[in-house]
Amino acid sequence: MRYYLLGFLWLFVSGLALAQPGTLAGKVTDKKTSEGVIGATVLVTGTTLAAPVNVDGSYSLPLEAGTYNITMTYVGYKPLTFAGIIIKSGETTTLNGTMEESATSLTEVTVTGVKQTGSEVAMIQDLKKSEVVVSGMSNDQIVRTLDRDAAEVVKRIPGVTVQNNNFIVIRGLAERYNTVLLNDALTPSAEVDTRSFSFDILPSSVIDRVLIFKSGAPELPGEFGGGVVKVYTKNSVLENTTTFTISGWNRSTNTFNSGYLSTDHSPTDFLGFDNGQRKLPGSLAGLAPAIKATPEQLSAIRNDLRNEFLPKSITSRPDLRMSLGINRKFEIGHVYVSNVTSVSYSNTQEQYDSRRQRYAYDYAKESLLPAGQRAEPVLNIDYVDTRSISAVRLGVIHNYQVRLNDRNRIEFRNFFNQYATDEVVNRHLVNFPDERERNDYSLHYQSRSIYSGQLSGSHEAGPARRTFLTWATGYNYVNRNEPDYRLNKQDRELVPGKLSDTNPVPFQVSINNGGVANSDARFFSTLKENTYMASGQIERRFNGRDTLGVNQI
């Protein structure tokens, strides 16, 4: 047994000796200087087996026994290739190489940088360089907040509040005292009773940065008292990308609930606009307010109006959101072009109840109580509002940036947004002192369209690039449509203990209440606004005695 073990160990050691690899070693030197080519690489051709050249030009590459093709390479030198180099087990094979510089000269390399204005670092730098009081929010910060529209974004900026989720208030001054610019172009107003911009129509996914100026400056519009809000959309491209996201979720209050209140939708409601189903009838459109309608005209008007004053109950579906983003950059000759395209869509349904109660003291009963004691308040009015809101938002951004050369740049920005809400309110009210029960309905549909397009450029002139020219032109269009806003008011006598469905008395449409009209009503409203703008600025920099000064013309 001992001899067998000794024999096995001898065979094992012999195998290790036979399998011992060989070594390829030598020096790599420069043909002109005869010095080592530091940093060169010696590798087996077509493989990843390689060894670096040391400071003195030497190298060592362990290899298994066999025949190899060896290549020596280095940047700026012609590669050397040696064929049929034999490596023996346990031995060192010497291979020296003399490398010659390549005659190919490197062409000029131009590196062009594009400033990323939507980053948090860029925002901090802009705020530090500003000579006026300004605050803002970058795209990096907006992404972390998960806000859906610009109204939710700007309310996070100090000194700014938002009313009704769309109007901005700066330092206590109402929306009509603040000026809003979209890509440096004045924004149109979508409101019929005040000059203000509705921030809820601008989705946060297209915002690059938001700046709020709280003090005046020569380059800012002068028609403001509270501040100037500048909103910029995305325009720069780092790499070619295509993204698509889709999400949906349910609301615990109404999703899959069959009691969701809805109006009779038009076929195009899912895109955010009415196809004309709710438009003002032709018989009313041609009737002047000062002319009293004849019986024949009233009959024609009644026949033309849609007889829909009550909503219908449907099954609420889950909310849906989709977004598509396409970023592209390419070159046309020596012109660099980048394009940012974004399409976002959302379709949501929300329903909730709100209850309000009004109490009053019975002073006659209180007069009979001992001094200092108060009677319990008595419930006078109790009403519950069931509010259903269907909202559709379609947003498209399509921007181009063209760099003609390192001194001239042109930008073309396009933004379109369609936003529509279909709201149904059912109010059930009990008036105990009057012994009346009310059941009112409100059917309110409105859509808002906004388009904003700007063409701008920035140019540098002079050998020292001290003259700067910036210009911009823009066109804005806004359309607000409120077709056929309907109110339906019904009441009936209150029977104690028999409310709602248990009350045998039917609801009746209210005709008059003390001479004041209190019945069904309809309202039609349309607003269209077109805005044109143009601006330009020339800046010339002069060398001062101590520092570089800036003069603006």
Side-chain angles (χ1 to χ4, degrees):
M1 184 64 179
R2 182 181 302 174
Y3 295 107
Y4 287 115
L5 182 58
L6 291 174
F8 175 76
L9 291 175
W10 182 82
L11 291 174
F12 180 73
V13 173
S14 299
L16 290 177
L18 292 174
Q20 185 177 0
T23 303
L24 179 67
K27 277 192 172 185
V28 180
T29 57
D30 186 283
K31 184 177 181 180
K32 289 183 178 180
T33 63
S34 299
E35 296 179 354
V37 183
I38 305 171
T41 302
V42 179
L43 72 156
V44 177
T45 307
T47 69
T48 58
L49 298 175
V53 175
N54 299 323
V55 177
D56 58 353
S58 63
Y59 71 92
S60 178
L61 176 62
L63 295 171
E64 298 292 336
T67 302
Y68 298 92
N69 294 332
I70 305 299
T71 301
M72 299 177 181
T73 63
Y74 190 59
V75 177
Y77 287 82
K78 297 179 180 179
L80 290 177
T81 301
F82 301 89
I85 304 302
I86 300 175
I87 304 297
K88 297 181 179 180
S89 178
E91 297 183 6
T92 299
T93 301
T94 301
L95 178 64
N96 297 321
T98 301
M99 301 188 69
E100 182 181 358
E101 290 186 1
S102 176
T104 303
S105 60
L106 297 177
T107 59
E108 179 184 357
V109 177
T110 302
V111 179
T112 302
V114 178
K115 181 180 179 181
Q116 298 301 305
T117 56
S119 65
E120 193 168 354
V121 175
M123 174 62 66
I124 295 174
Q125 291 176 348
D126 290 341
L127 297 182
K128 286 183 177 180
K129 291 187 297 183
S130 176
E131 299 178 356
V132 298
V133 180
V134 59
S135 55
M137 200 168 186
S138 65
N139 178 260
D140 289 351
Q141 296 170 306
I142 294 172
V143 171
R144 290 197 294 266
T145 62
L146 301 179
D147 292 330
R148 298 176 183 175
D149 53 50
E152 296 181 358
V153 171
V154 297
K155 69 182 180 182
R156 298 180 182 273
I157 301 176
V160 178
T161 56
V162 176
Q163 290 183 346
N164 302 327
N165 197 40
N166 51 8
F167 299 132
I168 187 172
V169 177
I170 300 178
R171 295 181 299 183
L173 293 177
E175 64 275 3
R176 66 189 183 97
Y177 296 105
N178 304 308
T179 301
V180 181
L181 288 83
L182 180 62
N183 297 323
D184 292 324
L186 288 171
T187 57
S189 174
E191 306 305 315
V192 295
D193 53 354
T194 183
R195 181 179 176 275
S196 59
F197 178 72
S198 301
F199 278 81
D200 58 335
I201 68 175
L202 190 63
S204 61
S205 59
V206 303
I207 298 177
D208 181 71
R209 64 192 186 280
V210 179
L211 296 173
I212 296 183
F213 297 84
K214 301 178 182 178
S215 61
E219 66 273 14
L220 296 177
E223 51 176 7
F224 77 97
V228 173
V229 183
K230 287 189 175 184
V231 182
Y232 295 92
T233 56
K234 297 179 181 178
N235 204 29
S236 60
V237 176
L238 291 178
E239 57 183 3
N240 294 337
T241 59
T242 301
T243 59
F244 176 76
T245 60
I246 182 171
S247 61
W249 62 93
N250 70 300
R251 300 178 186 266
S252 59
T253 55
N254 58 273
T255 303
F256 300 120
N257 183 1
S258 59
Y260 185 81
L261 300 179
S262 174
T263 63
D264 185 14
H265 289 178
S266 73
T268 57
D269 278 7
F270 77 100
L271 293 176
F273 66 93
D274 177 68
N275 70 338
Q277 175 178 296
R278 304 177 179 91
K279 69 178 181 179
L280 186 70
S283 56
L284 268 175
L287 188 63
I291 301 177
K292 186 176 181 180
T294 64
E296 292 76 12
Q297 289 176 323
L298 291 176
S299 177
I301 291 171
R302 283 193 294 266
N303 293 332
D304 288 345
L305 290 171
R306 298 172 60 227
N307 187 20
E308 183 196 359
F309 282 93
L310 299 178
K312 58 183 179 180
S313 296
I314 63 173
T315 300
S316 177
R317 47 168 176 69
D319 292 349
L320 173 67
R321 278 190 172 86
M322 297 184 294
S323 65
L324 172 66
I326 301 175
N327 297 334
R328 292 292 183 268
K329 59 179 182 178
F330 51 91
E331 294 185 17
I332 303 177
H334 297 289
V335 178
Y336 177 84
V337 182
S338 62
N339 168 250
V340 175
T341 302
S342 174
V343 180
S344 60
Y345 176 81
S346 66
N347 195 327
T348 62
Q349 291 183 342
E350 180 182 8
Q351 180 171 282
Y352 58 90
D353 295 334
S354 59
R355 185 171 188 174
R356 286 178 280 184
Q357 296 176 324
R358 297 180 183 177
Y359 288 84
Y361 286 103
D362 189 346
Y363 294 102
K365 183 178 179 180
E366 188 173 310
S367 62
L368 303 176
L369 297 177
Q373 292 189 14
R374 300 294 302 271
E376 292 292 331
V378 179
L379 179 61
N380 272 2
I381 299 178
D382 183 11
Y383 58 93
V384 177
D385 286 349
T386 300
R387 186 182 300 269
S388 304
I389 303 176
S390 300
V392 175
R393 185 194 304 274
L394 174 63
V396 180
I397 180 173
H398 192 62
N399 295 343
Y400 283 93
Q401 185 180 83
V402 180
R403 182 177 60 82
L404 303 176
N405 48 52
D406 58 348
R407 293 192 175 197
N408 300 279
R409 180 174 299 174
I410 297 176
E411 295 184 353
F412 182 45
R413 300 173 184 260
N414 295 274
F415 169 75
F416 173 78
N417 190 79
Q418 183 73 28
Y419 181 50
T421 57
D422 192 3
E423 181 181 29
V424 176
V425 179
N426 176 215
R427 171 170 293 180
H428 182 251
L429 181 147
V430 179
N431 190 327
F432 292 98
D434 296 340
E435 297 184 349
R436 304 295 295 179
E437 184 181 4
R438 291 264 299 273
N439 190 39
D440 301 341
Y441 289 95
S442 167
L443 284 67
H444 186 201
Y445 178 87
Q446 66 171 327
S447 63
R448 288 176 288 178
S449 307
I450 180 173
Y451 167 77
S452 179
Q454 297 88 31
L455 179 64
S456 61
S458 59
H459 312 275
E460 300 177 9
R465 297 189 179 184
R466 293 180 181 175
T467 302
F468 303 89
L469 169 65
T470 58
W471 56 271
T473 60
Y475 167 73
N476 294 328
Y477 168 79
V478 66
N479 183 330
R480 173 171 175 155
N481 189 26
E482 291 182 82
D484 206 0
Y485 179 15
R486 285 149 288 166
L487 298 176
N488 177 257
K489 299 182 178 181
Q490 308 176 28
D491 70 346
R492 64 185 176 185
E493 182 181 355
L494 177 63
V495 178
K498 293 185 178 181
L499 302 179
S500 301
D501 295 337
T502 61
N503 190 343
V505 180
F507 281 105
Q508 300 291 332
V509 176
S510 300
I511 303 300
N512 284 285
N513 184 10
V516 180
N518 192 32
S519 61
D520 297 347
R522 311 180 90 118
F523 174 79
F524 296 84
S525 174
T526 301
L527 170 69
K528 294 182 180 180
E529 181 178 332
N530 296 277
T531 305
Y532 303 88
M533 62 82 61
S535 64
Q537 178 175 308
I538 299 177
E539 179 179 314
R540 172 68 178 177
R541 296 186 178 183
F542 300 95
N543 285 326
R545 183 180 62 181
D546 300 320
T547 59
L548 186 66
V550 177
N551 284 2
Q552 290 186 358
I553 301 175

